[in-house]
Amino acid sequence: MNISQVLIDQAARRPHEPAIIEAAAGDTRTLTFAHLAERSARAAALFHEAGLREGDRVLVFQPMSIELYVALLGIFRLGLVATVLDPSAGRRHIEQCCRIARPNGFLGPARAHLLRFAVRGLRRIRRHFVTAGRVPGATRWSSLERLAPLNPIADCDSSHDALLTFTSGSTGVPKAAVRSHGFLLAQHAVLADSIELEPGEVDLSTLPIFVLANLASGVTSVIPQCDLRRPGFVEPGPVLEQIERHRVTRTVGSPALYERLLRGSGAAADAGGKNDESRLGRLRKLYTGGAPVFPPLLRELRSALPRGRVIVVYGSTEAEPIAHLDWSEAEPADLDAMNAGRGLLVGRPVHQIELRILPNRWGAPIQAMTAGEFAGLALPPEESGEIVVSGPHVLAGYLNGVGDDETKFRVEGEVWHRTGDAGHLDALGRLWLLGRAGAVIRDERGAIHPFAAECAASRLPWIERSALAGRHGERLLAVELGPRAPADAARQVRETLSWARLDRVVRLPRIPVDRRHNAKVDYPALERELNRHGN
């Protein structure tokens, strides 16, 4: 089944309800489900008129917007493959991805087309579409208005490619993750269930893939008025105003974004007598993940949403979601365990996924095995190791098999994915995260994992961020301190984490984080930062 059919079906059920709302040029632009269906059919006609045919790949450099989803639906309708990568990753990354994907079309605003002058791979693409502004030789997006909608939907089977994305390639050549129409349908079913998507809800949408799930579920998506490429630097005022104006009831996003909104929600009362906390308090469901979410932030969010729920979601590019935890279900004993170095609790695996803990052999391939061998290898509750998953919404492989040897293995022919994360299951079947499987520090004192120390350190209110590193045989905790940190901060950290047997606590002006979520420690960059400061 073509994924666009599920999205288009919502237009028949609720034609006049808003599908996507975005701020545009000082105003608000709204597209109903019916208008989205009609406009995406015109986009399909535009692609077809340009000579694109089923299976062709279209490189999409369109920011999160109404036009992004018009384009994606038009691409899916025609049986084309949407190819998405991060243009801010640099010319070399774009060149590598173009060499792998060999796209047949290129779509984006005029500023995105400027990259064609700098990247040879982009210049090789024959068909160009410009969504805003003018570019010589490119088909203007506005020209779709003159075309009759191309209503027939390509009859794709479940294995037909729909979406192609790329890993960062920070450790080598980028890997291309291919999602078929069947995969996207399975992912939608899991998301609709696990994050409780209900028709008529209004979602503040910060992650592009979740908008597709919203559209397929009859949920209105409000695109935040901010630069979502830098969630940790969002100006909270306009976003909080959108939450109030559009009566937003739910949201999914990076913990860095919600830290910013919390800071903004503490602002003074406005001219109408309301303060921003009432805006955030409208939310009934807040889902956060993509990076470790430690207890202090969860407590703050729970307090800011007096009538709402705060849920942690654990997943990855290849498997989203894997597990989730309603923070109201965390017990005092769970907090004590996190403070004592047990790791970060992320809840029970979703019922559509199979999850096991294997001995940590990250960096070495896992050979195919029988079900009996696999059962014998899997670790019992409370024993830590490498997290592996399998299920209908778990990516079975990468394009051309590049990366499969490191991250996939088979049990009786069934594909299992190695998440690259370490953790353990408790006696209740809940998952606890310990950090990257390759980041565990082993010495004569035993093993210590990053999240064990970092989660425990987060209980100290004047620590903004911390990061565990092994340096020259030492256990080192780097800390980024807030303005109210005491003079003896290092001593207090060592006492609080006495079980970790740290050798040193090092203060850094800034602990580097990932570019996408602005919330995960960038450990390679941390090494460089420690070297720069002579540690």
Side-chain angles (χ1 to χ4, degrees):
M1 182 179 181
N2 190 311
I3 181 65
S4 64
Q5 185 61 60
V6 179
L7 304 173
I8 301 309
D9 285 348
Q10 292 298 335
R13 295 193 184 101
R14 44 187 54 83
H16 305 300
E17 294 182 19
I20 306 176
I21 301 171
E22 70 173 353
D27 201 357
T28 297
R29 185 183 175 203
T30 301
L31 209 64
T32 64
F33 280 95
H35 194 188
L36 176 61
E38 186 265 348
R39 190 168 175 80
S40 66
R42 292 181 188 272
L46 188 69
F47 295 138
H48 189 270
E49 184 183 67
L52 292 171
R53 295 295 182 266
E54 188 171 316
D56 286 345
R57 293 170 180 157
V58 180
L59 182 58
V60 180
F61 271 12
Q62 180 67 25
M64 197 168 167
S65 61
I66 283 175
E67 296 311 328
L68 171 62
Y69 295 97
V70 169
L72 289 178
L73 277 179
I75 288 168
F76 296 153
R77 274 178 177 268
L78 209 55
L80 307 175
V81 183
T83 303
V84 181
L85 57 91
D86 180 6
S88 68
R91 298 177 188 176
R92 182 172 178 270
H93 178 78
I94 298 172
E95 192 72 67
Q96 288 176 317
C97 293
C98 286
R99 193 178 304 119
I100 295 167
R102 300 186 180 280
N104 310 92
F106 178 79
L107 180 143
R111 65 179 181 274
H113 284 263
L114 293 175
L115 287 168
R116 287 161 49 196
F117 294 103
V119 181
R120 183 180 303 172
L122 296 180
R123 292 198 295 274
R124 293 195 186 103
I125 301 174
R126 294 175 56 193
R127 300 171 183 87
H128 309 108
F129 305 89
V130 58
T131 55
R134 296 184 179 217
V135 174
T139 300
R140 295 182 66 185
W141 195 240
S142 58
S143 63
L144 61 83
E145 306 293 353
R146 64 176 171 77
L147 299 174
L150 187 64
N151 288 313
I153 297 174
D155 186 18
C156 301
D157 63 32
S158 62
S159 64
H160 189 91
D161 293 350
L163 180 65
L164 183 66
T165 62
F166 291 87
T167 63
S168 65
S170 57
T171 58
V173 177
K175 296 190 290 287
V178 187
R179 295 169 178 81
S180 67
H181 284 263
F183 181 95
L184 290 178
L185 287 166
Q187 185 175 57
H188 162 249
V190 178
L191 285 172
D193 177 46
S194 62
I195 64 173
E196 301 175 6
L197 293 172
E198 300 175 41
E201 289 187 298
V202 182
D203 179 64
L204 184 75
S205 305
T206 70
L207 300 171
I209 196 69
F210 284 86
V211 177
L212 292 178
N214 287 346
L215 293 174
S217 302
V219 173
T220 298
S221 298
V222 176
I223 297 176
Q225 189 178 349
C226 62
D227 184 356
L228 289 171
R229 295 169 301 179
R230 305 183 74 205
F233 298 87
V234 162
E235 177 59 40
V239 180
L240 290 166
E241 196 276 332
Q242 284 180 296
I243 290 174
E244 182 176 43
R245 184 181 356 139
H246 301 301
R247 299 184 179 275
V248 171
T249 59
R250 57 176 299 130
T251 181
V252 183
S254 163
L257 170 67
Y258 299 129
E259 286 179 350
R260 295 293 298 166
L261 296 186
L262 282 170
R263 301 293 84 79
S265 70
D270 61 23
K274 296 180 182 178
N275 69 24
D276 289 335
E277 186 171 352
S278 66
R279 303 178 187 181
L280 199 58
R282 287 183 181 276
L283 297 172
R284 295 296 176 266
K285 302 172 192 172
L286 185 151
Y287 297 84
T288 183
V293 192
F294 294 134
L297 174 60
L298 292 167
R299 281 195 295 266
E300 280 192 78
L301 288 169
R302 189 73 185 83
S303 177
L305 275 64
R307 296 184 299 277
R309 296 162 56 208
V310 176
I311 301 100
V312 176
V313 179
Y314 166 59
S316 68
T317 299
E318 296 85 357
E320 181 71 72
I322 293 174
H324 55 72
L325 170 72
D326 189 321
W327 185 241
S328 65
E329 297 174 0
E331 300 288 345
D334 297 326
L335 290 173
D336 291 342
M338 286 187 265
N339 291 336
R342 194 176 183 189
L344 178 61
L345 178 62
V346 291
R348 289 180 174 82
V350 298
H351 67 81
Q352 297 91 340
I353 209 166
E354 291 289 325
L355 185 148
R356 301 288 187 276
I357 307 296
L358 301 185
N360 189 350
R361 299 173 184 171
W362 185 251
I366 296 179
Q367 302 303 316
M369 65 187 86
T370 66
E373 290 170 331
F374 185 51
L377 190 62
L379 297 174
E382 310 299 347
E383 287 198 32
S384 301
E386 183 182 333
I387 301 169
V388 300
V389 293
S390 182
H393 70 291
V394 177
L395 196 71
Y398 300 102
L399 185 67
N400 302 324
V402 176
D404 287 357
D405 288 345
E406 303 95 72
T407 61
K408 313 291 179 187
F409 65 97
R410 292 179 180 270
V411 178
E412 305 275 359
E414 181 182 9
V415 176
W416 282 75
H417 172 68
R418 306 173 70 180
T419 64
D421 291 328
H424 59 85
L425 293 165
D426 64 18
L428 299 176
R430 301 178 303 174
L431 181 64
W432 294 69
L433 294 183
L434 292 168
R436 297 299 289 170
V440 58
I441 298 172
R442 302 184 190 278
D443 54 27
E444 69 280 356
R445 289 162 282 190
I448 183 170
H449 295 80
F451 286 5
E454 294 162 14
C455 182
S458 72
R459 69 186 293 193
L460 297 171
W462 31 266
I463 288 185
E464 301 284 346
R465 182 172 279 111
S466 66
L468 182 72
R471 302 276 291 176
H472 315 301
E474 291 185 316
R475 295 181 176 186
L476 180 150
L477 188 72
V479 294
E480 180 181 331
L481 302 181
R484 298 182 180 178
D488 63 343
R491 180 188 62 79
Q492 291 196 37
V493 170
R494 279 196 297 270
E495 287 182 357
T496 302
L497 274 70
S498 58
W499 53 267
R501 302 171 71 182
L502 299 171
D503 293 299
R504 282 195 294 155
V505 175
V506 174
R507 179 175 183 176
L508 291 179
R510 184 187 66 88
I511 291 178
V513 293
D514 68 300
R515 286 191 297 186
R516 182 183 179 195
H517 296 289
N518 299 161
K520 291 190 290 189
V521 173
D522 184 337
Y523 291 99
L526 174 66
E527 287 289 322
R528 295 192 293 272
E529 194 75 4
L530 289 168
N531 289 335
R532 192 165 71 87
H533 288 273
N535 293 293

